[in-house]
């Protein structure tokens, strides 16, 4: 088995030479801190699993008559890490989370139906609602003394008044990084039960929750939540594998599971052999690598908070509970709806544009801190130097 590199030093020549969109799309004088890819090399256990298949020339049709090994691997991981007992028979493979959201919306809702979303939200999910003709019901997530939170009473009222049919939940939340507590999720579950909502729970950032916070799978709350929830996740965020295009969905709703299984078997595509091997390797043997990543991300998160507080106090920032994304409030700078564009033009640092995250995104930008301390230092130096008044 090859050794994993450390997370403290990265070669910028290697980063810029890669074909990945994060470094490849920006100009040579721009430092990228935008799309949600980590700069770290993937785990050695994943590379070894892929090399093993290639070295054995074993790339033919896989023998998976009862579903891929992902089903059992996912079930074991949920039980071991979160105490959630999953039925492998309810797990289905996907190419990615976006496909999963679109599939569930296609089978579980109709054009014109209202779908509640905690906003701001991951842009492709909002785009999916728009292109599929579903009405967005924003559930604002707002920063306060206790961190990012939603108003459960408003959520209940808006669901009732709009005739909402589904809740699209991102937990942990993207872009704020909030890991919702069991009590907060129970408030959402109460509304879902009262109004018979289908729940789509994207939990792809679950493995990146930092202590003392804990991830609580929405479907693990109680039997009712389990029976109305489709949980969608993958190894792509925690193990830096976005290009493998492999994910899973645990379908708790009996009618939806039957509807999915009644579709032509290849209508929504199939996961590939390499993606399954990479995901299984990550989930079964990658936790030592993950622990190293979490330690580096925790240090980077704290450094972002320190630098902004000391050198750019006009930038609002609540350190995330999970993930590697900081949601920056730049409204005090009067840079308009898209301050990321100002930072790009004046500071030559690329952040994700806040308005792309829908309601609540204007005046914000999202910073990706999943990189080496050296690169992060340069990103933050450029950012704070661009902020007037320090």
């Amino acid at each position: 088995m090859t050794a994993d590199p450390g997370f403290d030093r990265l070669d910028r020549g290697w980063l810029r030479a890669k074909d990945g969109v994060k470094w490849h799309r920006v100009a040579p004088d721009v430092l990228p801190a935008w799309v949600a890819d980590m700069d770290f090399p993937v785990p050695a256990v994943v590379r070894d699993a892929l090399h093993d298949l290639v070295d054995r020339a074993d790339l033919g049709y896989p023998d998976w008559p009862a579903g891929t090994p992902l089903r059992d691997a996912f079930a074991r991981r949920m039980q071991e890490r979160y105490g959630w007992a999953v039925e492998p028979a309810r797990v289905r493979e996907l190419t990615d989370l976006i496909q999963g959201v679109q599939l569930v919306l296609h089978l579980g809702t109709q054009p014109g139906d209202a779908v509640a979303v905690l906003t701001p939200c991951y842009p492709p999910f909002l785009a999916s609602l728009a292109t599929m003709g579903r009405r967005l019901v924003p559930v604002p997530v707002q920063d306060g003394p206790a961190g990012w939170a939603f108003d459960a009473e408003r959520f209940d009222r808006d669901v009732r008044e709009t005739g909402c049919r589904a809740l699209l939940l991102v937990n942990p939340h993207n872009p704020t990084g909030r890991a919702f507590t069991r009590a907060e999720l129970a408030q959402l579950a109460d509304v879902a039960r009262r109004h018979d909502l289908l729940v789509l729970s994207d939990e792809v950032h679950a493995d990146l929750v930092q202590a003392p916070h804990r991830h609580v799978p929405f479907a693990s709350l109680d039997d009712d939540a389990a029976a109305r929830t489709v949980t969608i996740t993958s190894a792509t965020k925690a193990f830096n594998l976005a290009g493998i295009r492999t994910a899973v969905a645990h379908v708790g709703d009996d009618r939806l599971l039957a509807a999915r299984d009644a579709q032509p078997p290849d209508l929504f595509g199939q996961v590939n052999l390499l993606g399954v091997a990479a995901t299984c390797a990550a989930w079964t043997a990658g936790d030592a690598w993950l622990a190293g990543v979490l330690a580096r991300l925790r240090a980077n998160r704290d450094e972002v908070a320190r630098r902004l507080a000391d050198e750019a106090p006009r930038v609002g920032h609540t350190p995330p509970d999970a993930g590697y994304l900081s949601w920056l409030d730049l409204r005090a700078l009067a840079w308009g709806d898209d301050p990321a564009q100002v930072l790009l033009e004046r500071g030559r640092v690329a952040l994700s544009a806040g308005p792309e995250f829908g309601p609540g995104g204007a005046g914000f930008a999202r910073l990706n801190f999943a990189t080496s301390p050296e690169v992060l230092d340069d990103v933050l130096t450029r950012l704070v130097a661009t902020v007037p008044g320090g």
Side-chain angles (χ1 to χ4, degrees), residues 249-274:
H250 177 269
V251 187
D253 185 295
D254 289 336
R255 291 171 299 178
L256 192 65
L257 183 61
R260 183 269 178 204
D261 288 349
Q263 304 301 306
D266 296 311
L267 179 62
F268 304 107
Q270 296 284 348
V271 290
N272 68 82
L273 177 66
L274 297 176

Short mmCIF file of all heavy atoms in Angstrom, two decimals, residues 249-274:
data_model
loop_
_atom_site.label_atom_id
_atom_site.label_comp_id
_atom_site.label_asym_id
_atom_site.label_seq_id
_atom_site.Cartn_x
_atom_site.Cartn_y
_atom_site.Cartn_z
N ALA A 249 -28.70 6.42 -2.49
CA ALA A 249 -29.92 6.94 -1.87
C ALA A 249 -30.53 5.83 -1.03
O ALA A 249 -30.68 4.69 -1.50
CB ALA A 249 -30.91 7.41 -2.92
N HIS A 250 -30.88 6.17 0.22
CA HIS A 250 -31.67 5.26 1.05
C HIS A 250 -33.11 5.75 0.98
O HIS A 250 -33.42 6.86 1.41
CB HIS A 250 -31.17 5.27 2.49
CG HIS A 250 -31.98 4.40 3.39
ND1 HIS A 250 -33.07 4.87 4.10
CD2 HIS A 250 -31.88 3.08 3.69
CE1 HIS A 250 -33.60 3.88 4.80
NE2 HIS A 250 -32.90 2.79 4.57
N VAL A 251 -33.99 4.92 0.43
CA VAL A 251 -35.36 5.33 0.15
C VAL A 251 -36.28 4.73 1.21
O VAL A 251 -36.59 3.54 1.20
CB VAL A 251 -35.80 4.88 -1.26
CG1 VAL A 251 -37.17 5.45 -1.59
CG2 VAL A 251 -34.76 5.30 -2.30
N GLY A 252 -36.73 5.58 2.12
CA GLY A 252 -37.60 5.10 3.18
C GLY A 252 -39.06 5.02 2.80
O GLY A 252 -39.83 4.26 3.41
N ASP A 253 -39.47 5.78 1.80
CA ASP A 253 -40.86 5.83 1.36
C ASP A 253 -41.17 4.62 0.47
O ASP A 253 -40.58 4.46 -0.59
CB ASP A 253 -41.10 7.14 0.61
CG ASP A 253 -42.54 7.35 0.21
OD1 ASP A 253 -43.05 6.57 -0.62
OD2 ASP A 253 -43.16 8.30 0.71
N ASP A 254 -42.09 3.78 0.91
CA ASP A 254 -42.41 2.55 0.15
C ASP A 254 -42.91 2.85 -1.25
O ASP A 254 -42.50 2.19 -2.22
CB ASP A 254 -43.47 1.74 0.90
CG ASP A 254 -42.95 1.10 2.16
OD1 ASP A 254 -41.72 0.88 2.26
OD2 ASP A 254 -43.76 0.82 3.07
N ARG A 255 -43.80 3.83 -1.38
CA ARG A 255 -44.35 4.13 -2.70
C ARG A 255 -43.28 4.66 -3.64
O ARG A 255 -43.25 4.30 -4.82
CB ARG A 255 -45.49 5.14 -2.57
CG ARG A 255 -46.73 4.60 -1.88
CD ARG A 255 -47.72 5.70 -1.58
NE ARG A 255 -47.15 6.71 -0.67
CZ ARG A 255 -47.78 7.80 -0.27
NH1 ARG A 255 -49.00 8.05 -0.71
NH2 ARG A 255 -47.19 8.64 0.56
N LEU A 256 -42.39 5.49 -3.12
CA LEU A 256 -41.33 6.04 -3.95
C LEU A 256 -40.34 4.95 -4.37
O LEU A 256 -39.88 4.93 -5.52
CB LEU A 256 -40.62 7.17 -3.21
CG LEU A 256 -39.68 8.03 -4.05
CD1 LEU A 256 -40.46 8.79 -5.11
CD2 LEU A 256 -38.93 9.00 -3.17
N LEU A 257 -40.02 4.06 -3.45
CA LEU A 257 -39.11 2.97 -3.78
C LEU A 257 -39.72 2.09 -4.87
O LEU A 257 -39.03 1.69 -5.83
CB LEU A 257 -38.81 2.14 -2.55
CG LEU A 257 -37.81 0.99 -2.72
CD1 LEU A 257 -36.45 1.50 -3.17
CD2 LEU A 257 -37.67 0.20 -1.42
N ALA A 258 -41.00 1.80 -4.76
CA ALA A 258 -41.67 0.99 -5.79
C ALA A 258 -41.70 1.73 -7.12
O ALA A 258 -41.49 1.12 -8.18
CB ALA A 258 -43.08 0.65 -5.33
N ALA A 259 -41.95 3.03 -7.08
CA ALA A 259 -41.98 3.82 -8.31
C ALA A 259 -40.61 3.85 -8.97
O ALA A 259 -40.49 3.73 -10.20
CB ALA A 259 -42.45 5.24 -8.02
N ARG A 260 -39.57 3.98 -8.16
CA ARG A 260 -38.22 3.98 -8.73
C ARG A 260 -37.90 2.64 -9.37
O ARG A 260 -37.36 2.56 -10.47
CB ARG A 260 -37.22 4.31 -7.62
CG ARG A 260 -35.75 4.42 -8.11
CD ARG A 260 -35.06 3.08 -8.00
NE ARG A 260 -33.70 3.12 -8.48
CZ ARG A 260 -33.05 2.05 -8.92
NH1 ARG A 260 -33.67 0.87 -8.98
NH2 ARG A 260 -31.81 2.15 -9.33
N ASP A 261 -38.23 1.55 -8.67
CA ASP A 261 -37.90 0.23 -9.18
C ASP A 261 -38.75 -0.18 -10.37
O ASP A 261 -38.40 -1.12 -11.10
CB ASP A 261 -38.03 -0.81 -8.06
CG ASP A 261 -36.93 -0.69 -7.02
OD1 ASP A 261 -35.95 0.05 -7.27
OD2 ASP A 261 -37.05 -1.32 -5.95
N ALA A 262 -39.86 0.52 -10.60
CA ALA A 262 -40.71 0.23 -11.75
C ALA A 262 -40.21 0.91 -13.03
O ALA A 262 -40.72 0.62 -14.12
CB ALA A 262 -42.15 0.69 -11.47
N GLN A 263 -39.23 1.80 -12.91
CA GLN A 263 -38.69 2.48 -14.08
C GLN A 263 -37.82 1.53 -14.89
O GLN A 263 -37.28 0.55 -14.36
CB GLN A 263 -37.85 3.69 -13.66
CG GLN A 263 -38.58 4.68 -12.79
CD GLN A 263 -39.81 5.26 -13.47
OE1 GLN A 263 -39.73 5.77 -14.58
NE2 GLN A 263 -40.95 5.14 -12.81
N PRO A 264 -37.65 1.80 -16.19
CA PRO A 264 -36.70 0.98 -16.97
C PRO A 264 -35.34 0.98 -16.28
O PRO A 264 -34.86 2.02 -15.81
CB PRO A 264 -36.64 1.72 -18.32
CG PRO A 264 -37.96 2.43 -18.41
CD PRO A 264 -38.31 2.83 -17.01
N PRO A 265 -34.69 -0.18 -16.19
CA PRO A 265 -33.52 -0.32 -15.32
C PRO A 265 -32.35 0.60 -15.66
O PRO A 265 -31.56 0.93 -14.78
CB PRO A 265 -33.13 -1.79 -15.47
CG PRO A 265 -33.79 -2.24 -16.73
CD PRO A 265 -35.03 -1.45 -16.86
N ASP A 266 -32.22 1.00 -16.92
CA ASP A 266 -31.08 1.83 -17.30
C ASP A 266 -31.47 3.27 -17.61
O ASP A 266 -30.63 4.05 -18.08
CB ASP A 266 -30.38 1.23 -18.52
CG ASP A 266 -29.78 -0.13 -18.22
OD1 ASP A 266 -29.09 -0.25 -17.19
OD2 ASP A 266 -30.03 -1.08 -18.99
N LEU A 267 -32.72 3.64 -17.33
CA LEU A 267 -33.19 4.97 -17.68
C LEU A 267 -32.36 6.07 -17.02
O LEU A 267 -32.08 7.10 -17.63
CB LEU A 267 -34.67 5.12 -17.27
CG LEU A 267 -35.32 6.48 -17.55
CD1 LEU A 267 -35.33 6.77 -19.04
CD2 LEU A 267 -36.74 6.51 -16.99
N PHE A 268 -31.96 5.84 -15.79
CA PHE A 268 -31.21 6.86 -15.05
C PHE A 268 -29.72 6.55 -15.00
O PHE A 268 -28.98 7.12 -14.20
CB PHE A 268 -31.77 6.99 -13.63
CG PHE A 268 -33.25 7.31 -13.62
CD1 PHE A 268 -34.17 6.34 -13.27
CD2 PHE A 268 -33.71 8.55 -14.01
CE1 PHE A 268 -35.53 6.62 -13.27
CE2 PHE A 268 -35.05 8.84 -14.01
CZ PHE A 268 -35.98 7.88 -13.65
N GLY A 269 -29.26 5.65 -15.86
CA GLY A 269 -27.85 5.32 -15.89
C GLY A 269 -27.46 4.34 -14.81
O GLY A 269 -28.28 3.92 -13.98
N GLN A 270 -26.20 3.94 -14.84
CA GLN A 270 -25.67 3.00 -13.87
C GLN A 270 -24.36 3.54 -13.30
O GLN A 270 -23.61 4.22 -14.00
CB GLN A 270 -25.40 1.64 -14.53
CG GLN A 270 -26.64 0.95 -15.06
CD GLN A 270 -27.47 0.31 -13.96
OE1 GLN A 270 -27.01 0.21 -12.83
NE2 GLN A 270 -28.68 -0.11 -14.28
N VAL A 271 -24.08 3.23 -12.05
CA VAL A 271 -22.79 3.59 -11.50
C VAL A 271 -21.71 2.72 -12.14
O VAL A 271 -21.99 1.62 -12.61
CB VAL A 271 -22.75 3.42 -9.97
CG1 VAL A 271 -23.61 4.47 -9.30
CG2 VAL A 271 -23.18 2.02 -9.56
N ASN A 272 -20.49 3.24 -12.17
CA ASN A 272 -19.43 2.50 -12.84
C ASN A 272 -18.57 1.71 -11.85
O ASN A 272 -18.53 2.00 -10.65
CB ASN A 272 -18.56 3.46 -13.66
CG ASN A 272 -17.77 4.41 -12.79
OD1 ASN A 272 -16.72 4.06 -12.28
ND2 ASN A 272 -18.27 5.63 -12.63
N LEU A 273 -17.87 0.75 -12.37
CA LEU A 273 -17.07 -0.16 -11.56
C LEU A 273 -16.01 0.59 -10.74
O LEU A 273 -15.82 0.31 -9.55
CB LEU A 273 -16.38 -1.17 -12.48
CG LEU A 273 -15.44 -2.18 -11.85
CD1 LEU A 273 -16.20 -3.13 -10.96
CD2 LEU A 273 -14.70 -2.95 -12.95
N LEU A 274 -15.34 1.55 -11.34
CA LEU A 274 -14.28 2.27 -10.65
C LEU A 274 -14.84 3.15 -9.52
O LEU A 274 -14.24 3.27 -8.45
CB LEU A 274 -13.49 3.12 -11.64
CG LEU A 274 -12.73 2.34 -12.73
CD1 LEU A 274 -12.07 3.31 -13.70
CD2 LEU A 274 -11.69 1.42 -12.12
#
